[in-house]
C-alpha cells in the first residue's frame, strides 16, 4: 500500500511541507505529490506523535469521505476561525467578552447570549468566528483528534506582565499546528504597561513584530476600555485574506464538534463548527461515534436557524449521545453507512481505551517497583459537560507531587454507571461525580461494595477534597 505525502499530511492535520521536511531528515527526497510506502508512513506518523492506523482500518471512513467530497461545489471565501491563547490572567476571557459585547450586530444583542463554544461577529471587513474556550488545552485537545479547527491564533500578552510560561507554550502550540499568530498586547490602559518590553521578549522567541521588520501583526489593546480592538479585528481579517481561506458553500456539511453536553429536558446538545458545505435542519449527521437527524439548530443567541454555512458555529439537537470535542462531524445520506462508521469508530475507541488502561496498569506497576515510596491516588471521574471535564482533568493533572501521583484512570460525560463503579473498585480508585449523579444500578453496586461516591458542583470543592485525600495518602514522616 502506498500513500501520497499530501494525503498523509492531511490526515494528520499538518502541512505537507512538514512531512517532506521530516522525510528529508530521514534521508528521503519526496514532494507532496509523491507516494511513500506504509512502513515509511507509519514512521512519519509516529515521529509526529500520532498513533498510526493501518490503511485497512480507515477504509470505511475514506469511502465515506470520498462520497461526501464529490457532492461539494461552489467554493467561496470563508470567515477565519480564531482561538485566543495566552498566559492565565492576561485577559483572554475579557477580550472574548469585550469583542462579543461590542461587535455583535445590534438587534441580535437583545437576545440572551448563549454559550455554545463559539460565536461570530460582523466587522467592516467581514465575518470573524471566535472559539469561546480560550487557552491551549482546548486547542490541543482538538488537534490531538486531528481537528484543525483554528485558522489564526490571537496571543494575548499583558503589557504589565510580559512573556510568561503559558505565553511560550501557546507560541509552541501555534507553531506546531502551523497556525499564524497575531499578538494582542493587552492592558494598555494600565500605567505600568510596557509594550516595548513585550516586543523584546517576543523577539527573543522569534515572534517578531511587523514594526520591527518581522511578520507578526501586533495590536496594542485594552480589553477593559476597548481601545485597539478594532485594529486587532482588522489584523485578523487582513491575515485571513492573505491566507485565502475558502470552502465549498454547497453540498453536505462537514466540520468539527467544539463542545457537547447533556442538558435536562433537551438531551445531548452538541455545538459544531461547519467547515465545508451547509448544514441544514433535518440532515442526518455522523459525529464521532454517534449519528442522528438534526432536530433543531440554534445560533449563539439562542435563535432557531434553518441552515449554517462554513465557519459558522451552531448548536444542534438530535444526536443520541455527546461526542468528544474535536470529533469530526459530517452529513451523510445513507443511514446504513452512518451506522457502519459509527460502530467502527466506537470499537476503535473502546480498543484504544483498553490499551490506555492496560498501559496505565503496567506503568503503575513499573513505577511502583522503581520508586518504592510513591503513592498513587486513582480517580474515576464523571462530569456533566466536556468543558468541565477538560477543566478538571487539567487541574487534577497539576496536583501530582513527588510523593503522591494523581491518576485519572477513567473519565467521561454522563451519569455514574455500573461500569464506572466496577472500574473504580478493581483499580482502588475514588469515584467522583461533578454535576452528575449515579444511576440506580450504580448506587446499588457501590453500596454492595461499600464504596463511597462523592458528588460535587464546584470545581474547587472537588480539587480541595482530592488534595485532602492526597495528604491522607502521604506516608507519615519518620
Ligand atoms: P484570562 O485568565 O486570560 O482569561 O484573564 P481574564 O480575562 O480573566 O482577566 C484577568 C484579570 O485582568 C481580570 O481581573 C480582568 O478584569 C483584568 N483585565 C483583563 N484585561 C484587562 C485590561 O485590558 N485592562 C485592565 N486594567 N485589566 C484587565
Amino acid at each position: 500500500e502506498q500513500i501520497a505525502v499530501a494525503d498523509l499530511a492531511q490526515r494528520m492535520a499538518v502541512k505537507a511541507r512538514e512531512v517532506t521536511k521530516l522525510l528529508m531528515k530521514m534521508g528521503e527526497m519526496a514532494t507532496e505529490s509523491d507516494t511513500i510506502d506504509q512502513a515509511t508512513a507509519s514512521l512519519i506518523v509516529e515521529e509526529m506523535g500520532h498513533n498510526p492506523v493501518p490503511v485497512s482500518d480507515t477504509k470505511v471512513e475514506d469511502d465515506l469521505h470520498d462520497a461526501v467530497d464529490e457532492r461539494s461545489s461552489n467554493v467561496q471565501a470563508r470567515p477565519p476561525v480564531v482561538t485566543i491563547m495566552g498566559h492565565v490572567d492576561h485577559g483572554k476571557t475579557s477580550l472574548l467578552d469585550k469583542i462579543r459585547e461590542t461587535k455583535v450586530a445590534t438587534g441580535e444583542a437583545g437576545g440572551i447570549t448563549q454559550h455554545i463554544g463559539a460565536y461570530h461577529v460582523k466587522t467592516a471587513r467581514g465575518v470573524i468566528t471566535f472559539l469561546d474556550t480560550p487557552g491551549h488545552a482546548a486547542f490541543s485537545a482538538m488537534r490531538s483528534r486531528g481537528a484543525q479547527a483554528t485558522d489564526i491564533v490571537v496571543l494575548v500578552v499583558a503589557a504589565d506582565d510580559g512573556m510568561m510560561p503559558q505565553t511560550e507554550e501557546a507560541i509552541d502550540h501555534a507553531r506546531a499546528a502551523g497556525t499564524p499568530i497575531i499578538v494582542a498586547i493587552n492592558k494598555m490602559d494600565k500605567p505600568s504597561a510596557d509594550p516595548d518590553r513585550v516586543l523584546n521578549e517576543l523577539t527573543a522567541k522569534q515572534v517578531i513584530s511587523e514594526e520591527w521588520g518581522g511578520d507578526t501583526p501586533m495590536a496594542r489593546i485594552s480589553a477593559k476600555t476597548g481601545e485597539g480592538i478594532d485594529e486587532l479585528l482588522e489584523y485578523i481579517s487582513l491575515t485571513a485574506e492573505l491566507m485565502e481561506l475558502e470552502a465549498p458553500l454547497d453540498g453536505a456539511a462537514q466540520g468539527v464538534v467544539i463542545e457537547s453536553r447533556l442538558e435536562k429536558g433537551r438531551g445531548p446538545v452538541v455545538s459544531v463548527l461547519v467547515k465545508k458545505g451547509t448544514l441544514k435542519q433535518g440532515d442526518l449527521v455522523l459525529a464521532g461515534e454517534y449519528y442522528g437527524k438534526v432536530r433543531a439548530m440554534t445560533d449563539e443567541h439562542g435563535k432557531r436557524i434553518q441552515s449554517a454555512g462554513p465557519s459558522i458555529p451552531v448548536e444542534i439537537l438530535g444526536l443520541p449521545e455527546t461526542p468528544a470535542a474535536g470529533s469530526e462531524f459530517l452529513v451523510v445520506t445513507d443511514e446504513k453507512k452512518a451506522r457502519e462508521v459509527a460502530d467502527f469508530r466506537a470499537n476503535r475507541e473502546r480498543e484504544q481505551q483498553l490499551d490506555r488502561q492496560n498501559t496505565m496498569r503496567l506503568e503503575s506497576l513499573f513505577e511502583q517497583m522503581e520508586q518504592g515510596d510513591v503513592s498513587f491516588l486513582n480517580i474515576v471521574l464523571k462530569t456533566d459537560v466536556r468543558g468541565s471535564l477538560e477543566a478538571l482533568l487539567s487541574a487534577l493533572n497539576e496536583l501530582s507531587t513527588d510523593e503522591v501521583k494523581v491518576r485519572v484512570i477513567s473519565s467521561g460525560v454522563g451519569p455514574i454507571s455500573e461500569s464506572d463503579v466496577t472500574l473504580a473498585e478493581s483499580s482502588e480508585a475514588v469515584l467522583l461525580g461533578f454535576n452528575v449523579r449515579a444511576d440506580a444500578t450504580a448506587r446499588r453496586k457501590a453500596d454492595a461494595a461499600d464504596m463511597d461516591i462523592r458528588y460535587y458542583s464546584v470545581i474547587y470543592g472537588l480539587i480541595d477534597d482530592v488534595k485532602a485525600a492526597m495528604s491522607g495518602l502521604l506516608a507519615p514522616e519518620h
Side-chain angles (χ1 to χ4, degrees):
E1 286 280 1
Q2 296 268 327
I3 181 168
V5 170
D7 289 343
L8 181 65
Q10 204 195 356
R11 282 213 203 138
M12 293 188 292
V14 299
K15 291 217 165 90
R17 219 163 49 86
E18 290 181 42
V19 177
T20 50
K21 258 204 245 160
L22 193 58
L23 276 166
M24 200 133 75
K25 268 199 211 149
M26 291 162 59
E28 249 183 82
M29 297 295 282
T31 68
E32 297 179 14
S33 51
D34 285 340
T35 60
I36 53 177
D37 61 23
Q38 209 176 340
T40 315
S42 287
L43 268 178
I44 293 278
V45 172
E46 257 162 320
E47 192 68 25
M48 299 195 119
H50 297 256
N51 287 323
V53 182
V55 167
S56 56
D57 284 13
T58 58
K59 187 162 180 340
V60 197
E61 302 210 9
D62 288 349
D63 289 352
L64 189 73
H65 282 132
D66 290 348
V68 169
D69 282 338
E70 262 169 36
R71 283 181 277 141
S72 322
S73 61
N74 186 11
V75 173
Q76 304 224 339
R78 66 167 176 84
V81 180
V82 176
T83 294
I84 296 190
M85 300 212 261
H87 196 71
V88 63
D89 278 347
H90 279 197
K92 300 179 291 294
T93 316
S94 307
L95 178 58
L96 275 165
D97 289 347
K98 194 71 181 179
I99 294 173
R100 176 162 28 206
E101 180 188 309
T102 51
K103 294 297 155 189
V104 163
T106 35
E108 287 170 336
I112 311 153
T113 312
Q114 315 275 319
H115 175 87
I116 69 164
Y119 67 83
H120 68 292
V121 295
K122 296 190 181 87
T123 73
R125 279 186 174 268
V127 174
I128 304 172
T129 300
F130 288 91
L131 292 182
D132 217 349
T133 328
H136 47 246
F139 183 80
S140 33
M142 293 240 187
R143 236 169 65 77
S144 72
R145 295 194 162 261
Q148 191 84 304
T150 302
D151 300 308
I152 295 170
V153 165
V154 166
L155 179 67
V156 176
V157 190
D160 61 340
D161 204 20
M163 177 117 101
M164 292 306 247
Q166 286 168 302
T167 318
E168 288 194 50
E169 268 178 51
I171 294 170
D172 294 339
H173 279 289
R175 285 224 175 104
T179 313
I181 296 174
I182 295 175
V183 174
I185 305 176
N186 191 31
K187 307 200 183 182
M188 285 300 293
D189 60 290
K190 286 193 156 186
S192 52
D194 185 357
D196 281 343
R197 178 179 142 208
V198 176
L199 254 63
N200 260 314
E201 290 170 344
L202 287 170
T203 302
K205 188 81 185 156
Q206 260 78 56
V207 178
I208 304 164
S209 165
E210 282 174 339
E211 329 162 27
W212 287 10
D215 57 6
T216 309
M218 297 195 188
R220 291 164 170 78
I221 68 159
S222 162
K224 190 172 170 195
T225 66
E227 165 200 346
I229 288 187
D230 281 330
E231 193 188 0
L232 174 66
L233 295 179
E234 184 158 333
Y235 287 162
I236 295 173
S237 296
L238 285 172
T239 305
E241 277 168 33
L242 288 176
M243 291 171 85
E244 298 182 352
L245 303 169
E246 317 186 300
L249 190 63
D250 303 335
Q254 287 186 51
V256 55
V257 172
I258 46 183
E259 208 172 276
S260 60
R261 63 181 186 276
L262 271 176
E263 222 175 77
K264 260 214 189 86
R266 291 174 88 198
V269 180
V270 182
S271 297
V272 300
L273 181 70
V274 177
K275 295 180 80 176
K276 288 180 183 179
T278 298
L279 179 65
K280 300 190 199 65
Q281 190 174 328
D283 279 347
L284 178 66
V285 298
L286 169 72
E289 304 141 53
Y290 311 110
Y291 68 95
K293 264 213 167 75
V294 178
R295 268 205 333 266
M297 295 205 290
T298 44
D299 65 10
E300 62 266 52
H301 313 292
K303 220 169 53 191
R304 286 288 290 267
I305 48 172
Q306 301 300 319
S307 66
S311 299
I312 299 302
V314 284
E315 200 171 68
I316 60 176
L317 296 183
L319 282 165
E321 302 265 357
T322 54
S327 301
E328 170 194 58
F329 91 85
L330 46 97
V331 169
V332 286
T333 44
D334 182 353
E335 180 148 0
K336 195 168 141 266
K337 194 90 214 169
R339 186 176 322 124
E340 194 179 308
V341 178
D343 287 349
F344 163 77
R345 287 182 178 170
N347 274 329
R348 188 176 56 191
E349 184 70 22
R350 258 197 302 279
E351 276 166 22
Q352 285 174 350
Q353 184 142 13
L354 269 180
D355 276 355
R356 275 197 293 271
Q357 278 168 13
N358 286 338
T359 1
M360 215 97 77
R361 271 192 216 113
L362 272 181
E363 267 174 15
S364 71
L365 212 64
F366 285 136
E367 277 182 33
Q368 267 163 344
M369 285 191 311
E370 277 172 17
Q371 350 173 339
D373 47 7
V374 179
S375 310
F376 291 94
L377 180 65
N378 290 341
I379 291 175
V380 172
L381 173 68
K382 293 301 279 285
T383 70
D384 54 342
V385 296
R386 287 271 165 194
S388 52
L389 181 65
E390 276 150 24
L392 279 166
L393 287 178
S394 68
L396 287 170
N397 239 333
E398 284 167 15
L399 291 182
S400 287
T401 62
D402 288 343
E403 289 156 311
V404 186
K405 301 254 181 269
V406 174
R407 201 162 40 183
V408 180
I409 54 169
S410 168
S411 62
V413 171
I416 294 168
S417 67
E418 191 181 357
S419 73
D420 295 325
V421 177
T422 319
L423 181 62
E425 195 187 353
S426 62
S427 47
E428 292 178 19
V430 290
L431 190 43
L432 310 178
F434 184 79
N435 281 335
V436 293
R437 314 295 295 181
D439 62 30
T441 13
R443 266 202 305 274
R444 270 197 299 277
K445 177 125 190 134
D447 282 346
D450 203 19
M451 263 188 64
D452 195 17
I453 305 180
R454 309 189 66 106
Y455 303 106
Y456 303 87
S457 53
V458 185
I459 292 193
Y460 293 111
L462 189 150
I463 297 298
D464 282 349
D465 268 13
V466 170
K467 278 190 196 153
M470 288 170 69
S471 46
L473 279 181
L474 279 179
E477 306 240 348
H478 296 290

